[in-house]
Amino acid sequence: MATDAGTPPLRCLVTGATGYIGGRLVPELLAAGHRVRCLARTPGKLRDHPWAADAETVRGDVLDAGSLRPALAGVDVAYYLVHSLGTGRDFEETDRRAARLFAAAAREAGVGRIVYMGGLTPAGVPERELSPHLRSRAEVGRILLDCGVPTAVLRAAVVIGSGSASFEMLRHLTERLPVMVTPSWLRTPVQPVAVRDVLRYLRECARLPATVSRTFDIGGPDVLTYRGMMRRYALVAGLRRRVVVPVPVLTPALSSHWIGLVTPVPAAIARPLAESLRHEVVCREHDIARWIPDPPEGLTGFDRAVELALRRIRQADVATRWSGASVPGAPSDPLPTDPDWAGGSLYTDRREQVVDASPEALWRVIEGIGGEHGWYSSPLAWSVRGRLDRLLGGVGLHRGRRDARRLRAGDSLDFWRVEEIERGRLLRLRAEMRLPGLAWLELTAGRDEAGRTVYRQRALFHPHGLAGHAYWWAVAPFHALVFGGMARNIAAAAREERSRG
């Protein structure tokens, strides 16, 4: 879609393009005819997106002023879609510092507008009583509004769309628990908004007049309690009516662990989401319609938003997921290439199997690993490791996959992340579970000198301190069962894949 006649395309910078909203906004801006530059700490995570060839990607970090200057050069509209949700106790200070750096860099670069996606705050509640998550979002909005660059701060409550953290929480709680003893915040009124409406607002904010610099509440046409959303979800999804019994004793902290056990959303992310629902979060105004009118068919209702999200999930057409952004604190060091790596000790477990199938059949098994297909060895051992990770505050095994058949760089894969993929040959995963060190798992398909198909597997672990060395030797006796069984079973699965093909 081209821009309107007489309105030249804008140069837009999108931060957070590896995240849920940012990854969906980029193609929206491109379709509107704008030129898009993405700021990413790891540009390689964006290379496999369908729109990657049409957008510019630069390496940088909102906490690095030196990288912001070139990224913002020549930019008309800067989208600030990053936050430190789940990074630990200091996340408010991290968000504050990042916003100040970005605001100053945008002002110095002569950026025409900043657009920020924040959280809807309850009316009449002092800021000190807000959840840390909402309090930080509000503070970031103020910092950007005060920087001298015209700024639009969009404030939303629960975003309903395939792959969003809020939707995944709602979906799994409703589907997995027909009878629920639940916290009292399920009675709190909420105004959800469909992700398609959020993206439309974000896209159209690029054309707001320079005189407009303020916050806007955005929401859908329905105001529901969380319990009401669960019941409506069950109706749309064709489930039996859910029985919900609220109890007052489940604090946000306890709720987050409860959510972590039932849903793919880890406690570190579930807690701020639950805390944000302690107070009523309903739009107080709809002023944005003065500049961005509602579509002719109206804003997307809750039932329709759920229907669209479920359709995407069933069709395996989920463009981005909440887990697309790296887990805070996950390792980002370069992969050690051999035991002489200057980084220090490196433990390696190597496995190799000759496979009676083509490399193509073997690759289909490799690329389909994880999620519903599992890890081809000792399901009990993987399950125990996943549960232990959740107890330690990690992501566990519940994140699954974005797509059942295809992977791309940056995808989350249970408690791994795709660091590198050379389709048909190499899949390299970086561990995001709680570990006293850095870990990688490489799976490759190829041929040996005799022309036979060979599966090669390499697990690498770089220990941190004595705890790291102790961890490796504690789990080493199980490697034959876990890694050895994995290699044998992947080879067997490739043979079955060949017979099906």
Side-chain angles (χ1 to χ4, degrees):
M1 181 190 301
T3 54
D4 295 337
T7 55
L10 300 173
R11 166 74 72 180
C12 300
L13 176 74
V14 177
T15 65
T18 59
Y20 178 71
I21 294 293
R24 297 191 180 204
L25 177 61
V26 171
E28 292 279 333
L29 294 172
L30 290 169
H34 300 308
R35 293 173 294 170
V36 179
R37 178 184 296 160
C38 300
L39 179 74
R41 285 176 296 177
T42 310
K45 289 182 179 180
L46 299 176
R47 71 168 191 230
D48 293 329
H49 284 257
W51 44 260
D54 300 316
E56 177 189 2
T57 301
V58 296
R59 185 183 301 275
D61 191 328
V62 292
L63 290 167
D64 178 8
S67 68
L68 288 175
R69 294 187 190 99
L72 287 163
V75 166
D76 300 302
V77 182
Y79 286 90
Y80 193 76
L81 304 174
V82 295
H83 58 77
S84 302
L85 176 65
T87 59
R89 296 178 180 177
D90 296 332
F91 82 93
E92 289 184 83
E93 174 56 30
T94 301
D95 276 344
R96 184 180 303 120
R97 184 158 52 94
R100 287 172 177 167
L101 287 172
F102 190 84
R107 183 177 61 247
E108 292 171 8
V111 170
R113 170 165 298 282
I114 296 173
V115 181
Y116 169 59
M117 179 74 177
L120 190 59
T121 54
V125 178
E127 193 166 292
R128 65 180 179 275
E129 295 181 15
L130 295 177
S131 70
H133 166 55
L134 280 182
R135 188 168 60 236
S136 178
R137 291 293 186 94
E139 182 183 19
V140 168
R142 285 199 308 275
I143 291 171
L144 297 176
L145 283 166
D146 293 342
C147 76
V149 177
T151 299
V153 175
L154 304 185
R155 308 192 310 173
V158 173
V159 177
I160 302 298
S162 60
S164 77
S166 297
F167 182 72
E168 289 296 290
M169 193 169 93
L170 172 68
R171 179 166 77 98
H172 284 83
L173 284 175
T174 308
E175 291 186 352
R176 294 180 177 179
L177 298 175
V179 178
M180 291 164 280
V181 177
T182 56
S184 58
W185 49 256
L186 264 74
R187 295 193 294 260
T188 303
V190 181
Q191 190 165 355
V193 59
V195 68
R196 57 166 47 193
D197 289 331
V198 171
L199 294 171
R200 186 177 64 87
Y201 284 133
L202 287 169
R203 182 190 68 224
E204 297 303 316
C205 275
R207 295 288 186 187
L208 287 175
T211 54
V212 177
S213 188
R214 53 164 292 181
T215 63
F216 292 102
D217 292 355
I218 59 172
D222 302 305
V223 175
L224 303 162
T225 63
Y226 203 91
R227 177 168 55 179
M229 288 196 293
M230 295 174 79
R231 286 176 170 166
R232 293 269 287 271
Y233 176 94
L235 185 63
V236 174
L239 305 173
R240 291 183 178 179
R241 182 180 175 85
R242 268 35 190 167
V243 178
V244 181
V245 184
V247 294
V249 296
L250 285 180
T251 66
L254 291 174
S255 295
S256 66
H257 290 293
W258 170 69
I259 293 167
L261 289 172
V262 179
T263 81
V265 181
I269 294 177
R271 179 166 183 170
L273 293 176
E275 286 178 335
S276 299
L277 294 169
R278 286 184 302 172
H279 304 290
E280 179 178 305
V281 276
V282 175
C283 295
R284 285 167 277 175
E285 45 83 8
H286 188 49
D287 296 350
I288 197 168
R290 291 173 54 191
W291 292 277
I292 306 174
D294 294 348
E297 66 277 13
L299 296 171
T300 309
F302 177 81
D303 291 358
R304 177 62 174 160
V306 169
E307 180 186 333
L308 291 170
L310 289 176
R311 182 185 303 170
R312 291 278 189 181
I313 292 169
R314 289 163 182 160
Q315 294 175 348
D317 188 23
V318 180
T320 60
R321 297 180 69 211
W322 65 271
S323 56
S326 294
V327 170
S332 57
D333 296 12
L335 173 74
T337 56
D338 55 59
D340 296 326
W341 175 51
S345 301
L346 181 66
Y347 293 112
T348 306
D349 182 280
R350 298 175 187 271
R351 307 281 168 171
E352 184 173 303
Q353 288 278 322
V354 175
V355 182
D356 185 19
S358 67
E360 292 76 18
L362 174 58
W363 176 253
R364 286 194 292 273
V365 174
I366 291 174
E367 192 173 7
I369 201 166
E372 294 182 0
H373 292 154
W375 291 87
Y376 293 97
S377 72
S378 184
L380 177 61
W382 284 94
S383 176
V384 169
R385 186 63 185 88
R387 291 178 182 276
L388 177 62
D389 194 53
R390 294 303 286 261
L391 288 174
L392 295 174
V395 296
L397 283 172
H398 294 309
R399 289 191 305 184
R401 298 171 53 108
R402 178 188 58 83
D403 186 295
R405 296 179 298 277
R406 300 278 285 183
L407 293 173
R408 65 189 185 202
D411 271 358
S412 61
L413 182 58
D414 294 327
F415 48 37
W416 303 89
R417 185 165 302 275
V418 179
E419 181 175 87
E420 183 62 70
I421 182 168
E422 297 177 17
R423 193 151 277 105
R425 194 189 77 83
L426 166 71
L427 175 63
R428 180 185 301 143
L429 306 174
R430 185 189 289 269
E432 289 190 335
M433 73 278 287
R434 300 286 186 177
L435 288 171
L438 310 179
W440 295 263
L441 179 62
E442 285 188 343
L443 317 176
T444 62
R447 294 188 184 275
D448 61 12
E449 294 179 354
R452 300 175 301 179
T453 298
V454 178
Y455 169 71
R456 294 185 176 91
Q457 178 180 296
R458 184 168 70 142
L460 303 105
F461 182 68
H462 171 47
H464 284 172
L466 182 60
H469 290 278
Y471 171 82
W472 176 265
W473 290 112
V475 299
F478 302 100
H479 285 176
L481 172 66
V482 176
F483 292 131
M486 184 176 180
R488 291 190 297 273
N489 292 333
I490 284 178
R495 289 193 294 272
E496 293 180 9
E497 178 72 19
R498 178 204 61 182
S499 63
R500 288 195 298 267

